[in-house]
């Protein structure tokens, strides 16, 4: 059974997930461990491993990784540009 999730709760989940991703090693953190850590940190008495919440966390992780990759590629490109000053 799908749970109806209000916008405030979604915002809190996304905020918590982003905080966790910023503070963790992306080489060792799994999506499941992000969900478990976020569930523990949120003061909402919800289990983010529940099927209703997984897509919210998954989308947030995907968005974070895409942004991190773009930022990494931009930094790499800046380092490879010749210094013309």
């Amino acid at each position: 059974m799908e749970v109806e999730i209000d916008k405030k709760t979604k915002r809190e989940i996304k905020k918590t997930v982003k905080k966790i991703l910023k503070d963790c090693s992306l080489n060792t953190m799994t999506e499941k461990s992000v969900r478990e850590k976020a569930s523990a940190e949120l003061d909402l008495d919800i289990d983010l491993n529940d099927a209703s919440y997984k897509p919210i966390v998954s989308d947030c992780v995907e968005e974070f990784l895409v942004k991190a990759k773009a930022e990494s590629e931009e930094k790499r490109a800046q380092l490879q540009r010749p210094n013309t000053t």
Side-chain angles (χ1 to χ4, degrees):
M1 183 175 136
E2 286 286 316
V3 175
E4 186 66 32
I5 306 165
D6 63 83
K7 289 181 182 181
K8 182 180 179 209
T9 301
K10 284 183 182 180
R11 270 195 310 273
E12 283 298 313
I13 292 169
K14 289 179 179 185
K15 179 180 167 186
T16 302
V17 168
K18 287 177 185 176
K19 178 183 162 287
I20 291 167
L21 291 170
K22 285 180 185 176
D23 296 339
C24 77
S25 168
L26 297 178
N27 294 322
T28 58
M29 186 65 83
T30 65
E31 194 171 306
K32 182 178 180 181
S33 59
V34 170
R35 287 193 309 268
E36 290 171 350
K37 189 169 175 77
S39 290
E41 287 187 21
L42 285 167
D43 215 13
L44 301 174
D45 194 32
I46 57 175
D47 180 6
L48 296 178
N49 284 312
D50 183 274
S52 298
Y53 297 101
K54 281 184 178 182
I56 298 169
V57 176
S58 184
D59 290 348
C60 191
V61 169
E62 179 73 22
E63 181 181 306
F64 183 89
L65 293 175
V66 167
K67 184 177 178 184
K69 181 179 178 188
E71 288 172 356
S72 176
E73 289 172 353
E74 176 61 28
K75 285 179 184 176
R76 187 175 298 123
Q78 285 176 351
L79 291 173
Q80 292 176 348
R81 287 186 197 131
N83 190 354
T84 57
T85 57

